[in-house]
Amino acid sequence: MKQNSYLSLGPHGFHRIAYTQWGDTQNEHKLVCVHGLTRNSRDFDIFASSVADQYQVICPDVAGRGYSDWLINPHDYGFPVYVNDMAALLAKIQGEKVDWLGTSMGGLIGMMLAAQPNSPIQRLILNDVGPFISKESLGFIADYLGLNPTFDTLSDLEQHLRLVHAPFGDLTDDQWRHLAEHSAKRTADGRFNLHYDPALAVPIKETDPQDVDLWALWEMIKCPVLILRGETSELLSKKTAEEMLRRGPDAELIEIPKTGHAPALMDPEQIALVKQWLNS
């Protein structure tokens, strides 16, 4: 694993985007993995290490998360900046042809890029997200995003993650500890905050939740798509997932048992399903 970064330009100046790389940096087969709303690149450590023999795997921290810069103006936290940052990433890694795996928010970014004319995305994997998200699901996300807890110990932070992200599935103790270690940011007094900018909540809190309808975007995608859905997911309903098979690109749906939003892709069986599709 290597760590790198680059500068991207937003509405209020440049900001630095951090990313991790796995595998041979000369490998022309590239897989970009992008995390969910409050997560970071290190969520993909186990997955990336398992496919690094086939791919150069690139996992960015979206602006405001992990080791990427926090944005000066919180109203810049949104998809126009995220899409621009990821286009800059593709230029940085010379990604004229890439596969894309996106969890939740990372999947939406992937959809937006894949729908563009001459998109470099050759194959798209959407981890528990689709072109329709109900306002009720978004309301739940806004509730926990608005929190900015401080934890006395890393174990306390881990317990918080186990509660908030229980739908990730049956993770091992080592996997929960891995998530905790890479979700923690030390405070000046030696305690811990979550490793993202609390101001991410500002643009979400200032707008009333509305259904997200991206069906027109979905129907513009031309590349093959693998849809992963957590069996009990509320963000990607079964109805939406099945509708995705009837409209738009050539898509395959796999439901992941005993998970909600979103499968963590740390389980060997889940990883094997993705690898099988990539190799098909």
Side-chain angles (χ1 to χ4, degrees):
M1 184 190 76
K2 299 179 180 179
Q3 294 182 313
N4 209 332
S5 67
Y6 63 96
L7 286 175
S8 185
L9 180 61
H12 295 91
F14 286 94
H15 53 274
R16 186 164 294 279
I17 298 294
Y19 63 97
T20 58
Q21 285 178 287
W22 298 78
D24 182 359
T25 57
Q26 301 303 310
N27 188 345
E28 61 184 29
H29 299 291
K30 299 179 175 74
L31 174 64
V32 178
C33 300
V34 185
H35 58 80
L37 184 64
T38 62
R39 304 302 308 149
N40 62 70
S41 63
R42 303 302 300 274
D43 284 7
F44 293 106
D45 281 4
I46 295 173
F47 175 84
S49 65
S50 72
V51 299
D53 58 333
Q54 297 175 263
Y55 280 93
Q56 179 188 162
V57 189
I58 301 96
C59 308
D61 288 331
V62 176
R65 291 85 167 172
Y67 290 99
S68 289
D69 284 349
W70 293 7
L71 299 181
I72 295 171
N73 187 328
H75 295 96
D76 292 345
Y77 287 121
F79 286 102
V81 168
Y82 303 156
V83 168
N84 182 71
D85 288 348
M86 294 303 103
L89 171 67
L90 294 177
K92 168 72 174 178
I93 64 171
Q94 298 180 330
E96 295 186 3
K97 290 184 178 181
V98 302
D99 294 335
W100 186 285
L101 189 163
T103 295
S104 193
M105 177 189 72
L108 293 176
I109 297 170
M111 283 176 53
M112 293 172 186
L113 289 169
Q116 300 303 313
N118 303 313
S119 174
I121 296 179
Q122 305 296 295
R123 290 180 293 182
L124 176 63
I125 302 166
L126 299 177
N127 186 19
D128 209 61
V129 72
F132 183 84
I133 304 172
S134 72
K135 61 182 179 182
E136 289 78 16
S137 297
L138 294 175
F140 169 75
I141 292 172
D143 287 342
Y144 80 75
L145 182 60
L147 303 175
N148 183 28
T150 299
F151 305 94
D152 291 331
T153 68
L154 188 61
S155 293
D156 292 338
L157 186 148
E158 179 184 329
Q159 290 304 312
H160 171 81
L161 294 181
R162 285 175 180 256
L163 178 64
V164 172
H165 296 306
F168 281 7
D170 295 328
L171 276 60
T172 67
D173 289 343
D174 286 345
Q175 289 167 353
W176 280 118
R177 178 49 59 122
H178 176 86
L179 290 179
E181 289 173 348
H182 295 290
S183 299
K185 182 180 177 66
R186 279 274 190 180
T187 63
D189 61 2
R191 295 192 292 171
F192 299 92
N193 287 140
L194 295 171
H195 208 176
Y196 63 82
D197 184 358
L200 294 178
V202 171
I204 295 176
K205 290 287 188 178
E206 290 184 350
T207 58
D208 293 329
Q210 301 290 331
D211 292 341
V212 173
D213 188 335
L214 299 175
W215 283 112
L217 189 78
W218 172 249
E219 292 175 346
M220 294 170 64
I221 296 172
K222 304 301 182 186
C223 68
V225 181
L226 173 63
I227 307 160
L228 302 175
R229 178 180 181 269
E231 183 181 32
T232 61
S233 175
E234 295 182 357
L235 193 94
L236 177 59
S237 70
K238 193 175 186 68
K239 178 181 177 182
T240 296
E242 291 176 346
E243 183 68 14
M244 293 169 73
L245 300 179
R246 294 189 287 269
R247 303 168 60 175
D250 178 22
E252 178 180 345
L253 171 64
I254 298 177
E255 280 202 340
I256 307 296
K258 299 180 181 179
T259 63
H261 182 72
L265 303 183
M266 292 180 165
D267 180 85
E269 292 184 7
Q270 295 177 19
I271 295 171
L273 289 171
V274 176
K275 290 178 70 172
Q276 182 179 2
W277 186 81
L278 287 170
N279 292 328
S280 64

